[in-house]
Amino acid sequence: MKQLLKEREGAVPASVRSDLEHIFRAAYPRVVGVAARVLGSRDEAEDVAQETFLAFGRTTVPAGEAVGWLCVAAAHTALNHLRSGRRRVSREEAASDRVGVAPDVAETVVAKEEQQRVRAALSRLPRKQAVALVLRHSGLSYAEVAAALDLSPASVGTTVRRAESALREELNRHASSR
């Protein structure tokens, strides 16, 4: 996938893409949505979207392929954030800044722990499976996922099902080792 992205990036344009603002306005909510699904934080997702659009602005990706490219790049960047552990610091800062108490603290704690388990398991999946799963569960159609990941549309369902199965296995493996 990295090779595909590098090939599509091509030469660095001398100036910002003329279509960047139009594509940004059209694709920003979807790009943030993909990143938020991986990260669980809108603030961090917006940071990832910013990184993604900055990278996109230097590419020569055709406008018709922009949304797919941006969603894949956002998923990769968000997974990189998860894997690098940068989130730990921001979680700790957010926890120390919180004011007030949630109505049901136990439910909140359990839900957050479960979300963290799922995100950690997602970060351990093979990259292509993780991205396919995130893109499909972010609302992209099979055709859009296929175009974004250079798959045949017929294989997207199988790839997503295998990713879901691998995610369940990963969750079970780490649940039994606790």
mmCIF file of all heavy atoms in Angstrom, residues 45-92:
data_model
loop_
_atom_site.group_PDB
_atom_site.id
_atom_site.type_symbol
_atom_site.label_atom_id
_atom_site.label_comp_id
_atom_site.label_asym_id
_atom_site.label_seq_id
_atom_site.Cartn_x
_atom_site.Cartn_y
_atom_site.Cartn_z
ATOM 1 N N ALA A 45 -8.740 12.906 15.946
ATOM 2 C CA ALA A 45 -9.128 12.638 14.556
ATOM 3 C C ALA A 45 -8.949 13.885 13.693
ATOM 4 O O ALA A 45 -8.533 13.784 12.537
ATOM 5 C CB ALA A 45 -10.569 12.146 14.501
ATOM 6 N N GLU A 46 -9.252 15.034 14.249
ATOM 7 C CA GLU A 46 -9.064 16.277 13.493
ATOM 8 C C GLU A 46 -7.575 16.540 13.247
ATOM 9 O O GLU A 46 -7.197 17.032 12.183
ATOM 10 C CB GLU A 46 -9.734 17.444 14.213
ATOM 11 C CG GLU A 46 -11.252 17.366 14.108
ATOM 12 C CD GLU A 46 -11.990 18.444 14.866
ATOM 13 O OE1 GLU A 46 -11.358 19.201 15.643
ATOM 14 O OE2 GLU A 46 -13.216 18.540 14.691
ATOM 15 N N ASP A 47 -6.732 16.188 14.215
ATOM 16 C CA ASP A 47 -5.281 16.310 14.000
ATOM 17 C C ASP A 47 -4.833 15.388 12.874
ATOM 18 O O ASP A 47 -4.037 15.780 12.008
ATOM 19 C CB ASP A 47 -4.509 15.966 15.283
ATOM 20 C CG ASP A 47 -4.676 17.007 16.374
ATOM 21 O OD1 ASP A 47 -5.116 18.132 16.064
ATOM 22 O OD2 ASP A 47 -4.366 16.684 17.533
ATOM 23 N N VAL A 48 -5.341 14.169 12.867
ATOM 24 C CA VAL A 48 -5.002 13.215 11.811
ATOM 25 C C VAL A 48 -5.508 13.719 10.461
ATOM 26 O O VAL A 48 -4.801 13.631 9.455
ATOM 27 C CB VAL A 48 -5.577 11.810 12.131
ATOM 28 C CG1 VAL A 48 -5.569 10.909 10.908
ATOM 29 C CG2 VAL A 48 -4.781 11.180 13.263
ATOM 30 N N ALA A 49 -6.716 14.263 10.448
ATOM 31 C CA ALA A 49 -7.260 14.803 9.196
ATOM 32 C C ALA A 49 -6.374 15.934 8.671
ATOM 33 O O ALA A 49 -6.110 16.015 7.461
ATOM 34 C CB ALA A 49 -8.696 15.299 9.399
ATOM 35 N N GLN A 50 -5.897 16.766 9.565
ATOM 36 C CA GLN A 50 -5.014 17.857 9.149
ATOM 37 C C GLN A 50 -3.740 17.295 8.518
ATOM 38 O O GLN A 50 -3.326 17.746 7.448
ATOM 39 C CB GLN A 50 -4.669 18.746 10.339
ATOM 40 C CG GLN A 50 -3.768 19.906 9.973
ATOM 41 C CD GLN A 50 -3.460 20.801 11.169
ATOM 42 O OE1 GLN A 50 -3.902 20.560 12.281
ATOM 43 N NE2 GLN A 50 -2.699 21.830 10.930
ATOM 44 N N GLU A 51 -3.127 16.325 9.169
ATOM 45 C CA GLU A 51 -1.930 15.688 8.604
ATOM 46 C C GLU A 51 -2.227 15.086 7.234
ATOM 47 O O GLU A 51 -1.426 15.202 6.296
ATOM 48 C CB GLU A 51 -1.429 14.560 9.516
ATOM 49 C CG GLU A 51 -0.756 15.002 10.778
ATOM 50 C CD GLU A 51 -0.304 13.789 11.611
ATOM 51 O OE1 GLU A 51 0.306 12.862 11.043
ATOM 52 O OE2 GLU A 51 -0.574 13.789 12.824
ATOM 53 N N THR A 52 -3.370 14.434 7.133
ATOM 54 C CA THR A 52 -3.754 13.756 5.903
ATOM 55 C C THR A 52 -3.959 14.754 4.770
ATOM 56 O O THR A 52 -3.468 14.551 3.647
ATOM 57 C CB THR A 52 -5.036 12.929 6.136
ATOM 58 O OG1 THR A 52 -4.793 11.999 7.199
ATOM 59 C CG2 THR A 52 -5.443 12.177 4.889
ATOM 60 N N PHE A 53 -4.649 15.842 5.040
ATOM 61 C CA PHE A 53 -4.884 16.839 3.989
ATOM 62 C C PHE A 53 -3.596 17.569 3.610
ATOM 63 O O PHE A 53 -3.409 17.937 2.448
ATOM 64 C CB PHE A 53 -5.985 17.824 4.389
ATOM 65 C CG PHE A 53 -7.362 17.297 4.107
ATOM 66 C CD1 PHE A 53 -8.134 16.773 5.119
ATOM 67 C CD2 PHE A 53 -7.873 17.295 2.811
ATOM 68 C CE1 PHE A 53 -9.394 16.256 4.864
ATOM 69 C CE2 PHE A 53 -9.135 16.786 2.541
ATOM 70 C CZ PHE A 53 -9.898 16.267 3.574
ATOM 71 N N LEU A 54 -2.703 17.770 4.577
ATOM 72 C CA LEU A 54 -1.406 18.376 4.234
ATOM 73 C C LEU A 54 -0.636 17.471 3.277
ATOM 74 O O LEU A 54 -0.050 17.937 2.300
ATOM 75 C CB LEU A 54 -0.584 18.634 5.493
ATOM 76 C CG LEU A 54 -1.024 19.820 6.339
ATOM 77 C CD1 LEU A 54 -0.269 19.838 7.673
ATOM 78 C CD2 LEU A 54 -0.811 21.122 5.598
ATOM 79 N N ALA A 55 -0.651 16.182 3.552
ATOM 80 C CA ALA A 55 0.018 15.231 2.658
ATOM 81 C C ALA A 55 -0.673 15.209 1.300
ATOM 82 O O ALA A 55 -0.016 15.186 0.251
ATOM 83 C CB ALA A 55 0.027 13.838 3.275
ATOM 84 N N PHE A 56 -1.995 15.220 1.303
ATOM 85 C CA PHE A 56 -2.752 15.182 0.051
ATOM 86 C C PHE A 56 -2.454 16.415 -0.809
ATOM 87 O O PHE A 56 -2.362 16.312 -2.032
ATOM 88 C CB PHE A 56 -4.255 15.101 0.338
ATOM 89 C CG PHE A 56 -5.095 15.150 -0.904
ATOM 90 C CD1 PHE A 56 -5.167 14.053 -1.745
ATOM 91 C CD2 PHE A 56 -5.811 16.283 -1.235
ATOM 92 C CE1 PHE A 56 -5.924 14.090 -2.898
ATOM 93 C CE2 PHE A 56 -6.567 16.338 -2.380
ATOM 94 C CZ PHE A 56 -6.634 15.235 -3.218
ATOM 95 N N GLY A 57 -2.295 17.553 -0.169
ATOM 96 C CA GLY A 57 -2.024 18.794 -0.904
ATOM 97 C C GLY A 57 -0.748 18.735 -1.717
ATOM 98 O O GLY A 57 -0.583 19.493 -2.685
ATOM 99 N N ARG A 58 0.158 17.822 -1.361
ATOM 100 C CA ARG A 58 1.429 17.682 -2.086
ATOM 101 C C ARG A 58 1.385 16.582 -3.139
ATOM 102 O O ARG A 58 2.402 16.270 -3.742
ATOM 103 C CB ARG A 58 2.554 17.389 -1.089
ATOM 104 C CG ARG A 58 2.809 18.513 -0.100
ATOM 105 C CD ARG A 58 4.006 18.236 0.794
ATOM 106 N NE ARG A 58 3.879 17.013 1.562
ATOM 107 C CZ ARG A 58 3.438 16.938 2.814
ATOM 108 N NH1 ARG A 58 3.075 18.027 3.434
ATOM 109 N NH2 ARG A 58 3.369 15.783 3.437
ATOM 110 N N THR A 59 0.214 15.971 -3.322
ATOM 111 C CA THR A 59 0.122 14.857 -4.267
ATOM 112 C C THR A 59 -0.460 15.296 -5.603
ATOM 113 O O THR A 59 -0.955 16.413 -5.741
ATOM 114 C CB THR A 59 -0.785 13.730 -3.717
ATOM 115 O OG1 THR A 59 -2.140 14.181 -3.703
ATOM 116 C CG2 THR A 59 -0.355 13.283 -2.338
ATOM 117 N N THR A 60 -0.407 14.372 -6.530
ATOM 118 C CA THR A 60 -1.063 14.567 -7.828
ATOM 119 C C THR A 60 -2.157 13.520 -8.011
ATOM 120 O O THR A 60 -2.490 13.157 -9.136
ATOM 121 C CB THR A 60 -0.037 14.466 -8.983
ATOM 122 O OG1 THR A 60 0.610 13.195 -8.901
ATOM 123 C CG2 THR A 60 0.979 15.589 -8.912
ATOM 124 N N VAL A 61 -2.715 13.040 -6.904
ATOM 125 C CA VAL A 61 -3.801 12.066 -6.950
ATOM 126 C C VAL A 61 -4.964 12.702 -7.717
ATOM 127 O O VAL A 61 -5.359 13.831 -7.401
ATOM 128 C CB VAL A 61 -4.250 11.675 -5.524
ATOM 129 C CG1 VAL A 61 -5.478 10.800 -5.555
ATOM 130 C CG2 VAL A 61 -3.114 11.008 -4.777
ATOM 131 N N PRO A 62 -5.510 12.003 -8.696
ATOM 132 C CA PRO A 62 -6.655 12.564 -9.434
ATOM 133 C C PRO A 62 -7.827 12.848 -8.492
ATOM 134 O O PRO A 62 -8.065 12.104 -7.535
ATOM 135 C CB PRO A 62 -7.016 11.456 -10.430
ATOM 136 C CG PRO A 62 -5.784 10.623 -10.555
ATOM 137 C CD PRO A 62 -5.090 10.703 -9.227
ATOM 138 N N ALA A 63 -8.554 13.905 -8.775
ATOM 139 C CA ALA A 63 -9.671 14.320 -7.921
ATOM 140 C C ALA A 63 -10.690 13.199 -7.734
ATOM 141 O O ALA A 63 -11.259 13.042 -6.657
ATOM 142 C CB ALA A 63 -10.347 15.567 -8.482
ATOM 143 N N GLY A 64 -10.900 12.394 -8.747
ATOM 144 C CA GLY A 64 -11.860 11.296 -8.659
ATOM 145 C C GLY A 64 -11.443 10.209 -7.683
ATOM 146 O O GLY A 64 -12.266 9.427 -7.225
ATOM 147 N N GLU A 65 -10.167 10.144 -7.358
ATOM 148 C CA GLU A 65 -9.655 9.143 -6.415
ATOM 149 C C GLU A 65 -9.352 9.746 -5.050
ATOM 150 O O GLU A 65 -8.866 9.055 -4.159
ATOM 151 C CB GLU A 65 -8.376 8.517 -6.975
ATOM 152 C CG GLU A 65 -8.570 7.777 -8.280
ATOM 153 C CD GLU A 65 -7.257 7.272 -8.863
ATOM 154 O OE1 GLU A 65 -6.246 7.186 -8.122
ATOM 155 O OE2 GLU A 65 -7.248 6.968 -10.065
ATOM 156 N N ALA A 66 -9.633 11.020 -4.897
ATOM 157 C CA ALA A 66 -9.228 11.746 -3.687
ATOM 158 C C ALA A 66 -9.855 11.191 -2.412
ATOM 159 O O ALA A 66 -9.156 10.984 -1.413
ATOM 160 C CB ALA A 66 -9.562 13.230 -3.823
ATOM 161 N N VAL A 67 -11.159 10.950 -2.416
ATOM 162 C CA VAL A 67 -11.827 10.511 -1.184
ATOM 163 C C VAL A 67 -11.257 9.165 -0.730
ATOM 164 O O VAL A 67 -10.955 8.984 0.456
ATOM 165 C CB VAL A 67 -13.355 10.448 -1.363
ATOM 166 C CG1 VAL A 67 -14.017 9.827 -0.144
ATOM 167 C CG2 VAL A 67 -13.915 11.847 -1.598
ATOM 168 N N GLY A 68 -11.103 8.252 -1.640
ATOM 169 C CA GLY A 68 -10.529 6.953 -1.285
ATOM 170 C C GLY A 68 -9.122 7.084 -0.751
ATOM 171 O O GLY A 68 -8.762 6.491 0.271
ATOM 172 N N TRP A 69 -8.298 7.882 -1.433
ATOM 173 C CA TRP A 69 -6.910 8.097 -1.002
ATOM 174 C C TRP A 69 -6.893 8.710 0.392
ATOM 175 O O TRP A 69 -6.135 8.276 1.267
ATOM 176 C CB TRP A 69 -6.191 9.000 -1.998
ATOM 177 C CG TRP A 69 -4.719 9.127 -1.745
ATOM 178 C CD1 TRP A 69 -3.727 8.428 -2.343
ATOM 179 C CD2 TRP A 69 -4.064 10.025 -0.820
ATOM 180 N NE1 TRP A 69 -2.506 8.817 -1.853
ATOM 181 C CE2 TRP A 69 -2.678 9.791 -0.919
ATOM 182 C CE3 TRP A 69 -4.509 10.982 0.074
ATOM 183 C CZ2 TRP A 69 -1.744 10.498 -0.159
ATOM 184 C CZ3 TRP A 69 -3.578 11.679 0.841
ATOM 185 C CH2 TRP A 69 -2.210 11.431 0.715
ATOM 186 N N LEU A 70 -7.729 9.722 0.603
ATOM 187 C CA LEU A 70 -7.764 10.408 1.891
ATOM 188 C C LEU A 70 -8.226 9.482 3.019
ATOM 189 O O LEU A 70 -7.665 9.508 4.117
ATOM 190 C CB LEU A 70 -8.680 11.636 1.809
ATOM 191 C CG LEU A 70 -8.121 12.806 1.016
ATOM 192 C CD1 LEU A 70 -9.240 13.768 0.616
ATOM 193 C CD2 LEU A 70 -7.041 13.534 1.810
ATOM 194 N N CYS A 71 -9.235 8.653 2.758
ATOM 195 C CA CYS A 71 -9.732 7.737 3.792
ATOM 196 C C CYS A 71 -8.676 6.700 4.155
ATOM 197 O O CYS A 71 -8.475 6.403 5.337
ATOM 198 C CB CYS A 71 -11.026 7.064 3.332
ATOM 199 S SG CYS A 71 -12.443 8.190 3.327
ATOM 200 N N VAL A 72 -7.999 6.163 3.155
ATOM 201 C CA VAL A 72 -6.942 5.185 3.432
ATOM 202 C C VAL A 72 -5.804 5.855 4.198
ATOM 203 O O VAL A 72 -5.301 5.322 5.191
ATOM 204 C CB VAL A 72 -6.428 4.534 2.127
ATOM 205 C CG1 VAL A 72 -5.166 3.731 2.375
ATOM 206 C CG2 VAL A 72 -7.510 3.647 1.526
ATOM 207 N N ALA A 73 -5.402 7.035 3.746
ATOM 208 C CA ALA A 73 -4.316 7.750 4.423
ATOM 209 C C ALA A 73 -4.705 8.087 5.864
ATOM 210 O O ALA A 73 -3.877 7.977 6.778
ATOM 211 C CB ALA A 73 -3.952 9.019 3.647
ATOM 212 N N ALA A 74 -5.960 8.483 6.082
ATOM 213 C CA ALA A 74 -6.420 8.790 7.446
ATOM 214 C C ALA A 74 -6.396 7.538 8.315
ATOM 215 O O ALA A 74 -5.977 7.591 9.481
ATOM 216 C CB ALA A 74 -7.827 9.387 7.412
ATOM 217 N N ALA A 75 -6.829 6.415 7.767
ATOM 218 C CA ALA A 75 -6.808 5.169 8.532
ATOM 219 C C ALA A 75 -5.374 4.777 8.881
ATOM 220 O O ALA A 75 -5.089 4.407 10.025
ATOM 221 C CB ALA A 75 -7.493 4.048 7.749
ATOM 222 N N HIS A 76 -4.477 4.873 7.919
ATOM 223 C CA HIS A 76 -3.064 4.542 8.183
ATOM 224 C C HIS A 76 -2.470 5.472 9.242
ATOM 225 O O HIS A 76 -1.794 5.023 10.171
ATOM 226 C CB HIS A 76 -2.235 4.656 6.901
ATOM 227 C CG HIS A 76 -2.381 3.499 5.975
ATOM 228 N ND1 HIS A 76 -1.858 2.263 6.243
ATOM 229 C CD2 HIS A 76 -3.003 3.393 4.786
ATOM 230 C CE1 HIS A 76 -2.147 1.444 5.252
ATOM 231 N NE2 HIS A 76 -2.844 2.097 4.355
ATOM 232 N N THR A 77 -2.724 6.761 9.094
ATOM 233 C CA THR A 77 -2.171 7.733 10.035
ATOM 234 C C THR A 77 -2.737 7.512 11.434
ATOM 235 O O THR A 77 -1.998 7.553 12.423
ATOM 236 C CB THR A 77 -2.454 9.168 9.550
ATOM 237 O OG1 THR A 77 -1.926 9.321 8.224
ATOM 238 C CG2 THR A 77 -1.812 10.204 10.460
ATOM 239 N N ALA A 78 -4.036 7.238 11.520
ATOM 240 C CA ALA A 78 -4.654 6.985 12.822
ATOM 241 C C ALA A 78 -4.090 5.707 13.451
ATOM 242 O O ALA A 78 -3.808 5.676 14.654
ATOM 243 C CB ALA A 78 -6.171 6.889 12.671
ATOM 244 N N LEU A 79 -3.916 4.673 12.646
ATOM 245 C CA LEU A 79 -3.322 3.441 13.171
ATOM 246 C C LEU A 79 -1.892 3.693 13.645
ATOM 247 O O LEU A 79 -1.468 3.154 14.667
ATOM 248 C CB LEU A 79 -3.346 2.337 12.117
ATOM 249 C CG LEU A 79 -4.725 1.710 11.879
ATOM 250 C CD1 LEU A 79 -4.715 0.889 10.597
ATOM 251 C CD2 LEU A 79 -5.153 0.877 13.062
ATOM 252 N N ASN A 80 -1.162 4.522 12.916
ATOM 253 C CA ASN A 80 0.194 4.877 13.348
ATOM 254 C C ASN A 80 0.164 5.578 14.700
ATOM 255 O O ASN A 80 1.008 5.330 15.559
ATOM 256 C CB ASN A 80 0.891 5.758 12.314
ATOM 257 C CG ASN A 80 1.285 4.999 11.084
ATOM 258 O OD1 ASN A 80 1.336 3.770 11.078
ATOM 259 N ND2 ASN A 80 1.552 5.715 10.005
ATOM 260 N N HIS A 81 -0.805 6.460 14.899
ATOM 261 C CA HIS A 81 -0.943 7.147 16.192
ATOM 262 C C HIS A 81 -1.217 6.143 17.297
ATOM 263 O O HIS A 81 -0.650 6.244 18.384
ATOM 264 C CB HIS A 81 -2.062 8.190 16.127
ATOM 265 C CG HIS A 81 -1.642 9.490 15.522
ATOM 266 N ND1 HIS A 81 -1.437 10.612 16.270
ATOM 267 C CD2 HIS A 81 -1.389 9.828 14.241
ATOM 268 C CE1 HIS A 81 -1.072 11.607 15.467
ATOM 269 N NE2 HIS A 81 -1.039 11.148 14.230
ATOM 270 N N LEU A 82 -2.116 5.186 17.009
ATOM 271 C CA LEU A 82 -2.408 4.157 18.013
ATOM 272 C C LEU A 82 -1.159 3.357 18.347
ATOM 273 O O LEU A 82 -0.850 3.116 19.506
ATOM 274 C CB LEU A 82 -3.455 3.181 17.477
ATOM 275 C CG LEU A 82 -4.903 3.510 17.663
ATOM 276 C CD1 LEU A 82 -5.751 2.371 17.107
ATOM 277 C CD2 LEU A 82 -5.256 3.759 19.105
ATOM 278 N N ARG A 83 -0.472 2.938 17.316
ATOM 279 C CA ARG A 83 0.674 2.056 17.512
ATOM 280 C C ARG A 83 1.846 2.766 18.174
ATOM 281 O O ARG A 83 2.657 2.145 18.836
ATOM 282 C CB ARG A 83 1.103 1.471 16.169
ATOM 283 C CG ARG A 83 0.101 0.465 15.654
ATOM 284 C CD ARG A 83 0.479 -0.103 14.332
ATOM 285 N NE ARG A 83 -0.489 -1.138 13.963
ATOM 286 C CZ ARG A 83 -0.790 -1.462 12.739
ATOM 287 N NH1 ARG A 83 -0.187 -0.865 11.733
ATOM 288 N NH2 ARG A 83 -1.669 -2.398 12.491
ATOM 289 N N SER A 84 1.947 4.046 17.973
ATOM 290 C CA SER A 84 3.099 4.751 18.525
ATOM 291 C C SER A 84 2.941 5.092 20.005
ATOM 292 O O SER A 84 3.890 5.493 20.653
ATOM 293 C CB SER A 84 3.348 6.037 17.732
ATOM 294 O OG SER A 84 2.327 6.979 18.006
ATOM 295 N N GLY A 85 1.739 4.961 20.505
ATOM 296 C CA GLY A 85 1.540 5.231 21.924
ATOM 297 C C GLY A 85 1.356 6.705 22.249
ATOM 298 O O GLY A 85 1.301 7.077 23.413
ATOM 299 N N ARG A 86 1.240 7.541 21.228
ATOM 300 C CA ARG A 86 1.058 8.976 21.481
ATOM 301 C C ARG A 86 -0.226 9.254 22.252
ATOM 302 O O ARG A 86 -0.338 10.251 22.948
ATOM 303 C CB ARG A 86 0.997 9.746 20.159
ATOM 304 C CG ARG A 86 2.292 9.781 19.424
ATOM 305 C CD ARG A 86 2.157 10.605 18.169
ATOM 306 N NE ARG A 86 3.081 10.100 17.178
ATOM 307 C CZ ARG A 86 3.021 10.333 15.906
ATOM 308 N NH1 ARG A 86 2.075 11.091 15.419
ATOM 309 N NH2 ARG A 86 3.902 9.837 15.082
ATOM 310 N N ARG A 87 -1.193 8.363 22.111
ATOM 311 C CA ARG A 87 -2.478 8.596 22.755
ATOM 312 C C ARG A 87 -2.391 8.540 24.272
ATOM 313 O O ARG A 87 -3.169 9.191 24.962
ATOM 314 C CB ARG A 87 -3.486 7.561 22.266
ATOM 315 C CG ARG A 87 -3.763 7.718 20.783
ATOM 316 C CD ARG A 87 -4.959 6.937 20.324
ATOM 317 N NE ARG A 87 -6.146 7.500 20.912
ATOM 318 C CZ ARG A 87 -7.000 6.796 21.638
ATOM 319 N NH1 ARG A 87 -6.806 5.543 21.885
ATOM 320 N NH2 ARG A 87 -8.065 7.369 22.144
ATOM 321 N N ARG A 88 -1.462 7.766 24.810
ATOM 322 C CA ARG A 88 -1.360 7.629 26.258
ATOM 323 C C ARG A 88 -1.202 8.990 26.921
ATOM 324 O O ARG A 88 -1.898 9.310 27.885
ATOM 325 C CB ARG A 88 -0.185 6.724 26.635
ATOM 326 C CG ARG A 88 -0.044 6.517 28.134
ATOM 327 C CD ARG A 88 1.167 5.683 28.488
ATOM 328 N NE ARG A 88 2.403 6.180 27.922
ATOM 329 C CZ ARG A 88 3.120 7.196 28.417
ATOM 330 N NH1 ARG A 88 2.717 7.814 29.495
ATOM 331 N NH2 ARG A 88 4.232 7.577 27.836
ATOM 332 N N VAL A 89 -0.319 9.801 26.390
ATOM 333 C CA VAL A 89 -0.069 11.121 26.976
ATOM 334 C C VAL A 89 -1.321 11.977 26.911
ATOM 335 O O VAL A 89 -1.702 12.609 27.899
ATOM 336 C CB VAL A 89 1.113 11.819 26.254
ATOM 337 C CG1 VAL A 89 1.280 13.246 26.727
ATOM 338 C CG2 VAL A 89 2.390 11.029 26.463
ATOM 339 N N SER A 90 -1.991 11.982 25.759
ATOM 340 C CA SER A 90 -3.177 12.837 25.646
ATOM 341 C C SER A 90 -4.305 12.338 26.540
ATOM 342 O O SER A 90 -5.064 13.145 27.076
ATOM 343 C CB SER A 90 -3.636 12.943 24.192
ATOM 344 O OG SER A 90 -4.055 11.702 23.715
ATOM 345 N N ARG A 91 -4.435 11.015 26.717
ATOM 346 C CA ARG A 91 -5.454 10.478 27.627
ATOM 347 C C ARG A 91 -5.180 10.918 29.054
ATOM 348 O O ARG A 91 -6.094 11.293 29.791
ATOM 349 C CB ARG A 91 -5.496 8.946 27.559
ATOM 350 C CG ARG A 91 -6.270 8.381 26.400
ATOM 351 C CD ARG A 91 -6.578 6.922 26.612
ATOM 352 N NE ARG A 91 -5.415 6.113 26.936
ATOM 353 C CZ ARG A 91 -4.640 5.493 26.058
ATOM 354 N NH1 ARG A 91 -4.900 5.596 24.787
ATOM 355 N NH2 ARG A 91 -3.616 4.778 26.446
ATOM 356 N N GLU A 92 -3.930 10.861 29.452
ATOM 357 C CA GLU A 92 -3.582 11.262 30.811
ATOM 358 C C GLU A 92 -3.848 12.745 31.021
ATOM 359 O O GLU A 92 -4.361 13.145 32.070
ATOM 360 C CB GLU A 92 -2.121 10.937 31.096
ATOM 361 C CG GLU A 92 -1.853 9.451 31.188
ATOM 362 C CD GLU A 92 -0.376 9.098 31.232
ATOM 363 O OE1 GLU A 92 0.482 9.994 31.083
ATOM 364 O OE2 GLU A 92 -0.087 7.916 31.412
#
